[in-house]
Every structure is written in C-alpha cells, then in structure tokens.
Amino acid sequence: MDIDLKTSVKGEILAVKDLPTLPHVLEEVTKLIENPDTSSEAIAKVISTDQVLSAKVLKMVNSPIYGFPGRIGSIQHSLVLLGFNVIRGIIISTSVFDMMVQAMKGLWEHSLGCATACNIIARRAGFEDPEEYAVAGLLHDLGKVVTAVQLPDLHKHILDTVAAKDLTYFQAEKDVLGFGHDRINAWLARHWGLPPNIREAMARHHAPQLAEFYKPMSCVVHLGDFLVRLLEFGNSGDDQTAYLRPEAMIELKFKMSDLDKVMDEMSDQFIEVSDLTF
C-alpha cells in the first residue's frame, strides 16, 4: 500500500465524528487525574453522575475477570481496588460494546476471554496489578472494531481475503491495508490518552519481542490471545491457529505445564464470563 493511501486510511480511522464517543465523564475524570491531590472519592463522584455507565462498570468489575466476583459495591471501592487505569479501560470497552457486537460476531467474547486469560497469566507470572494486564487484553482488538465501523468496505475486503487466501485476520489486514489493527491500536490509544503500558501492549501483542518498555505486558496479551484462540472462545475474525512467539514464553519464564494450568483455569472461568453483556 502506498504512503498516501495509508495516510488517508489513518485519517478516516481517526475521523472523530464516527469514533465511538467516550462518555463525557471520562474527559472530566481524566482532567481530575492530572492533579495528584485528587481523591478517589472525587473521581468516583464524577463517574457516578452517569448512572448507566456506573452500572456497566460495576457489572464488569464484579465479573470473574478481575478476581473480585460479586464483592465490589461502589465506584469508589472499585477505584481503590483496581486503580484508575483499569476503570478507564473498562469505561472504554463498555462504551464500544454495541459497536463491537455489530462489527464482528464473536469479537466481544474473544476480548472478554483474552482479558480473563491475561489476568490468570499475569498472576501466574507473579506480576503486580494483574487487572491492568486484563484491561490490555480487553482492548487488544479494538482496532478491528474501528476498521469495521469507519471503513466497512475495506473491512469486508479483509474478511473476504481471510476466506479466499486462508489467512489470519491480521495477515489479511496487512494484505489489504498495508498494516494491521496493532497499528490502529497505537493511534487509538494515543488518541484516547491511554497509559503507556496498556498502549504498548495493544500495539505489540502480535510482536511482543519488539516491545521496548513494557515487554511483560505485551507478552501476557500475546499469550492470552493465543490461548483464547486455541480454546476457540469467541471469534477474532478467522479460524486459524495463531503463532506463539517463543520469546513470550521465555520472558514470562513459562513452561508448557504452565500453559496447561492456565488453560484449565480459563476453561473454568469462561463459563461465567460468557454471558457478560451490556
């Protein structure tokens, strides 16, 4: 694909008029966060003014994905337990839920599955704040949604290419667009001001060995994505087996026996996660 077309595609993808509109309260909260003296109480107050959004956030934080099923009763409690980065990621994902369901059948389930897997993997690897890894997993395919919404003709071309050439969705994107949803994720994450660790994981989950600053998070999302596809939970646009980068296993100090244990835990949790809709 030539540079001009790539530039015009980027322009169309980031055309704010069609991008999922993030709730107004998110802007207000982001401004509050810039002041280090802002209390979680003040942030919770702003989020709570949007009752529909608050209900969605509480539904999500009480799901098995985050490890506190049914135990978080308020927005403030969720902020204290999970931190603002996680709540912000949840707000974004629930805001684009309708769009995701319409864009690609099975993509929401795939994303939920990946979030669940990332939490399990991060805990097994001994990382702090596994919930942040879960949010990176939740948002890792957002670029696919945006392509489907902003560029429906090209999206159809990508899906046709998957079928015709027997490619993964990621390979077909590169074939049609000249780049994949990982690049779109990087644009989006910057556009929405996401934290750098989640931003890099969204941009590098297909090539975690190239992550510069937060390699463990990119490796966790890479592995989570691989395992969810292996277990065929949801659908991410094709039915191919993904490639597992050995560097990810090395980075996480995982053996094959670790994968077996992670998959057992994933299977148990998927039953509960599968009916999480908004």
Side-chain angles (χ1 to χ4, degrees):
M1 173 181 267
D2 60 43
I3 298 299
D4 291 343
L5 186 51
K6 196 178 271 192
T7 308
S8 73
V9 166
K10 179 178 179 178
E12 285 180 68
I13 280 172
L14 293 182
V16 182
K17 63 176 175 30
D18 301 321
L19 264 185
T21 48
L22 297 181
H24 177 61
V25 297
L26 196 55
E27 279 178 52
E28 289 181 54
V29 167
T30 304
K31 285 184 193 134
L32 280 177
I33 294 290
E34 285 165 9
N35 177 355
D37 298 329
T38 303
S39 66
S40 63
E41 191 179 4
I43 296 164
K45 209 172 196 172
V46 172
I47 296 174
S48 299
T49 58
D50 185 330
Q51 289 178 320
V52 174
L53 180 66
S54 299
K56 288 178 177 178
V57 169
L58 286 174
K59 187 172 182 180
M60 195 71 150
V61 297
N62 281 297
S63 75
I65 297 172
Y66 298 99
F68 300 98
R71 300 214 300 271
I72 301 177
S74 68
I75 295 294
Q76 190 179 353
H77 190 196
S78 70
L79 280 164
V80 171
L81 281 176
L82 300 172
F84 177 62
N85 285 343
V86 172
I87 301 305
R88 175 159 55 176
I90 287 171
I91 288 172
I92 289 172
S93 69
T94 56
S95 304
V96 300
F97 166 73
D98 291 334
M99 219 169 245
M100 196 180 264
V101 170
Q102 285 159 10
M104 287 172 75
K105 189 167 167 41
L107 188 61
W108 173 251
E109 291 78 7
H110 171 76
S111 302
L112 283 179
C114 191
T116 306
C118 288
N119 193 331
I120 294 167
I121 294 163
R123 277 191 285 110
R124 186 157 192 87
F127 297 146
E128 288 180 15
D129 303 321
E131 302 83 19
E132 290 211 5
Y133 292 79
V135 159
L138 191 63
L139 302 177
H140 80 286
D141 271 349
L142 219 49
K144 292 179 182 176
V145 182
V146 175
T147 304
V149 171
Q150 310 284 65
L151 307 163
D153 294 345
L154 282 175
H155 176 64
K156 185 180 181 308
H157 190 171
I158 292 166
L159 291 174
D160 290 346
T161 304
V162 166
K165 296 190 179 179
D166 206 23
L167 299 175
T168 65
Y169 187 92
F170 184 51
Q171 289 164 332
E173 282 176 321
K174 292 205 253 192
D175 199 63
V176 173
L177 299 172
F179 54 87
H181 59 278
D182 52 347
R183 177 82 57 90
I184 300 168
N185 281 345
W187 298 335
L188 270 179
R190 191 164 287 122
H191 181 72
W192 281 335
L194 290 175
N197 57 344
I198 291 174
R199 196 161 75 203
E200 187 173 71
M202 287 170 70
R204 291 293 188 204
H205 68 278
H206 280 288
Q209 74 284 5
L210 299 179
E212 292 180 78
F213 304 107
Y214 304 96
K215 192 173 279 183
M217 187 173 276
S218 296
C219 289
V220 167
V221 178
H222 176 76
L223 185 55
D225 187 29
F226 172 81
L227 292 177
V228 173
R229 293 170 68 106
L230 200 63
L231 290 174
E232 297 182 347
F233 185 77
N235 188 296
S236 59
D238 63 73
D239 54 8
Q240 303 280 326
T241 307
Y243 175 66
L244 176 60
R245 304 268 350 169
E247 298 94 333
M249 294 286 282
I250 294 164
E251 179 72 34
L252 301 174
K253 300 181 175 62
F254 268 28
K255 301 185 181 72
M256 292 313 284
S257 58
D258 291 298
L259 294 193
D260 289 337
K261 292 190 175 78
V262 167
M263 284 198 287
D264 286 345
E265 204 174 329
M266 282 166 66
S267 300
D268 292 342
Q269 292 196 13
F270 280 176
I271 299 156
E272 296 174 67
V273 172
S274 59
D275 57 358
L276 190 63
T277 58
F278 295 92

